[in-house]
Structure formats: C-alpha cells, structure tokens
Amino acid sequence: MRYEVIVIGAGMVGTSIAWHLQKNNSNVLLLDKKLPGSETSYGNAGLIQREAIHTHPFPRQLTEMIRVLPNQGTDIRYRIPAILRYHQALLQYWKYSTPASVKKIESEWQTLIEHCTSEHQTMIEASGADELITRDGWLQLHRSEETFKEAQVSAIDARNQGVEHNVLNLTELKAMEPSANFEGFVGAIHWKNSWQVSNPSSLVKAYAKNFQDMQGTIKESDVKEIVQDGEGWKVITDNDTYYSDKLVIAAGPWSNDLIRPLGYNLPLFPMRGYHQHFKVTEKNTINHSMFDMDKGFVMGPMQQGIRITTGAEMTTMNAPKNFGQLKTVLKLAKKILPLEDAVESEAWAGSRPCMPDMKPVIGPADKHDKLWFAFGHSHQGFTLGPMTGRLVEEMIHDKPTLVDLAPFSAQRFSN
C-alpha cells in the first residue's frame, strides 16, 4: 500500500505530526521501532511548560564552569567519550550562548512556546484525554535568596509573554504542599498556567489512538533504509517495505542516523535523563510537580507514583546507564519527601535530542523534495509536539504557517 505521508518517529512530536496530517484528510503511516509513547515521551517530567520562554545556554561564566567541572552536580553531568564525539556541536553550543545570541534565539523560541497549551488542548479534547491533565501549574523551589530574586524579576518580565505566576513564601508553600519538608528553601515561584500530565506515555497513546480512529496507520518496525523512489519514498524496515509520496523524519535523537545516508549531518547531540517512581503514601502525597531550581531535579505526582526526574547527562546514545546522578538526587529528594519503596527495580533512562542553538529543526530538507524534518526539541518535545504537528501539516499542505519557520530551518547549519 502507498501512503500520502510516512512519519518516522512515534514520540510526542511524531505522533502529533501524524495526527494533524490525518485530521486534514491525509493517508498517514506512523512508523517507529517502538509503539507511541514508549521512549523519550515516556520518561519526561510530565509538564506542558507554558512558562518555558527561556532556553538553557552553555555555561559561559567562569564560576559556573568551575562548578560543573568536577562532574558531581545534580543538574548536569558528562562523560568524556561524549564530549569527544560531539565536540563540534558543543563548540557551536558555546558560541550560540552569548547574551546577544540568546536574546535573539529566545525571541524566536517564544513564538513556539506561546501556543503550546492551546495546541495540546485541541488534541486533548479530540482524544478524550482530559482526565490526564491538571491545569493548576507547578512549583519552582529556591534554596538561594540570589536565585529566588532573579527568578522573581524574570517572572515579572514573563507576564508580557502571557505567563502567569505567584511568588510564594515558605508559609504559603507549606500550605500548598503540607507533606513536604522545605527546610533549606527560601521560597518558590508558582507557574500557574503550565499544565501537569499524570501519565505522559498515556497522553501520547491517547493521541495515537485518536489518530487510528481517524483511519491512520501505526506500524512497529525498525527502519533499515530510506530510498528516494521516483517522486516519492521507499522505507525499508526489518519486516516490510513501505511507500509514500512524502516523508517526515521526527525520530528525536535517532534522526541523524536516518538522514545521514541521504547526505545530511546536522549537529544533533543527545542529553540523557533518568527517573524513578516511589509508592505514594499519606506522608508523601503532593499535588504539584516541584522543581528544585538550585539542584536541577523534579518531583512529580504520577499515576505510577512519585516520579523523581534528574537533570541532564551528556553521554552517547548507547552508553551503559550510570545511576550516580540519580542516587545523588534521591538523597536530596528524600529530605523533602519521605520516599521509601521504589516502584521499579531499575530506574528508567532516555535521551533527548538537542541542537547547539537551542531550537528545534522544523522544515523541509534542502537536498530532496517531499522530505521534512522535525526534531531537536531538547527537553521540550513533549510540550511542543502538538505545535510542531500543526506547523508540519501546514507546510506539507502549502498553508500559511502559524509562525515564521525561517529560524527553525535545517539550512541554518549549512555554513
């Protein structure tokens, strides 16, 4: 059978693209080695982050670089083989992280973020997934008066971007989360119009089921080769061959492996995260996800239990798991919440696709017709999946796009 579009990648981004295309009368195949919601979209912190109007630049201040260097941090760790393998992308990341560059990058990034909740809402309603969503925000905890004051200034400025917040003192914070021990903290920012998702994997699966209800097709296959086939595409997998008029690569950190044989080599690099769940009791029940800003980890209420999610580890895709960062995080988390019984015997680990200029690639390929890219969303693929899906559908069907896509073009790395 021949499809109008094949979308490779069944995470939040790929599933959202397939959903939007099928909704607009395309005949779409969603193809990946695992079913929707089984990889990176399974393991995130479960937040749709309307407040995420700022990027995460490479550390440029000497004090910050010295802090990271011992490789014992809870927010960021690295492995030397990954530094060597991705050194060119990391050098670009450093260059893009000047204050002037970051200001421009964030102005472009914000055009995507401002639509994240409204675009999710469209898919949530269509998929009947509202029971997975809580719309009362999340808490950004601060241990340092300095970072807390900086956060308050930034939050006031964010109001101009439509971001709503409250500043909480310790008494107000304790009233919101009575089970938590906030000793050592000075206050919090309550980001009010960001959303919590009680099971990120289930939300992706709900979107995928709605895609199938619209007669979209999902296949679980490992892509072995992509070949231009006349005016269309042939995708050869481990168990079948599929044909389409158009092709979208949305395979997250695996995307470069798929497009490199076609002559593309974008500066994509992975950042790994870990999480583990703990059984909920009367003593550790929380109502909001809580981000320890100074230590860089998240504690969130999930269907599976209290999820503790680490910051980032710079490593290669196939490197063995290293639970050192998670173990350090858990020592801190257990001082805040009584976490006793782990749900899983081993923590989950997954990789997020990052670009050196902190923006995703969303747009057509320059060497082939009828080929589009949509990857590199860093930590915000879950947040920006539906928005990306809308934009890719608009491009493929020659519609005016909701935002200017020039800043997200793959060609920006051509030089």
Side-chain angles (χ1 to χ4, degrees), residues 4-5 7 15-29 118-127 207-208 210-217 386 389-390 393-394 397 399:
E4 181 188 344
V5 188
V7 179
T15 300
S16 298
I17 292 168
W19 185 93
H20 274 276
L21 287 165
Q22 192 69 30
K23 181 174 179 288
N24 285 272
N25 302 312
S26 295
N27 176 25
V28 182
L29 168 63
S118 59
E119 290 302 317
H120 263 284
Q121 183 62 27
T122 298
M123 295 182 67
I124 289 165
E125 290 179 1
S127 304
Y207 292 170
N210 190 231
F211 163 73
Q212 291 177 302
D213 291 343
M214 296 186 289
Q215 307 307 309
T217 303
R390 172 176 175 165
E393 186 278 323
E394 289 171 344
H397 291 148
K399 300 176 182 178

Side-chain angles (χ1 to χ4, degrees), residues 56-62 65 86-102 105 269 355-358:
H56 297 280
F58 195 96
R60 293 181 68 92
Q61 294 181 335
L62 184 60
M65 296 178 74
Y86 300 110
H87 70 278
Q88 291 182 328
L90 293 174
L91 180 60
Q92 289 187 57
Y93 184 13
W94 184 81
K95 289 180 178 178
Y96 279 116
S97 295
T98 64
S101 290
V102 169
I105 288 166
F269 62 94
M355 304 303 296
D357 65 350
M358 298 159 276

Side-chain angles (χ1 to χ4, degrees), residues 145-160:
E145 289 285 1
E146 182 181 0
T147 64
F148 190 32
K149 288 177 182 177
E150 290 173 356
Q152 291 176 62
V153 172
S154 180
I156 291 170
D157 183 61
R159 285 176 177 163
N160 298 326

Side-chain angles (χ1 to χ4, degrees), residues 141-149 152 168-171 173 182-188 294:
L141 311 180
H142 287 267
R143 298 171 181 265
S144 158
E145 289 285 1
E146 182 181 0
T147 64
F148 190 32
K149 288 177 182 177
Q152 291 176 62
L168 305 177
N169 60 34
L170 289 180
T171 301
L173 184 56
F182 295 115
E183 183 180 353
F185 291 91
V186 297
D294 297 278

Side-chain angles (χ1 to χ4, degrees), residues 303-314:
Q303 289 180 353
Q304 301 99 315
I306 304 294
R307 179 178 292 187
I308 309 299
T309 308
T310 67
E313 182 190 30
M314 178 74 199

Side-chain angles (χ1 to χ4, degrees), residues 27-51:
N27 176 25
V28 182
L29 168 63
L30 179 61
L31 183 65
D32 206 347
K33 59 185 175 182
K34 291 187 178 180
L35 293 174
S38 301
E39 280 284 2
T40 306
S41 294
Y42 170 84
N44 58 71
L47 297 172
I48 300 171
Q49 292 187 251
R50 177 63 186 86
E51 90 298 335

Side-chain angles (χ1 to χ4, degrees), residues 251-267:
W254 296 275
S255 297
N256 242 5
D257 294 337
L258 295 172
I259 64 176
R260 195 175 288 115
L262 298 173
Y264 302 91
N265 189 23
L266 297 180

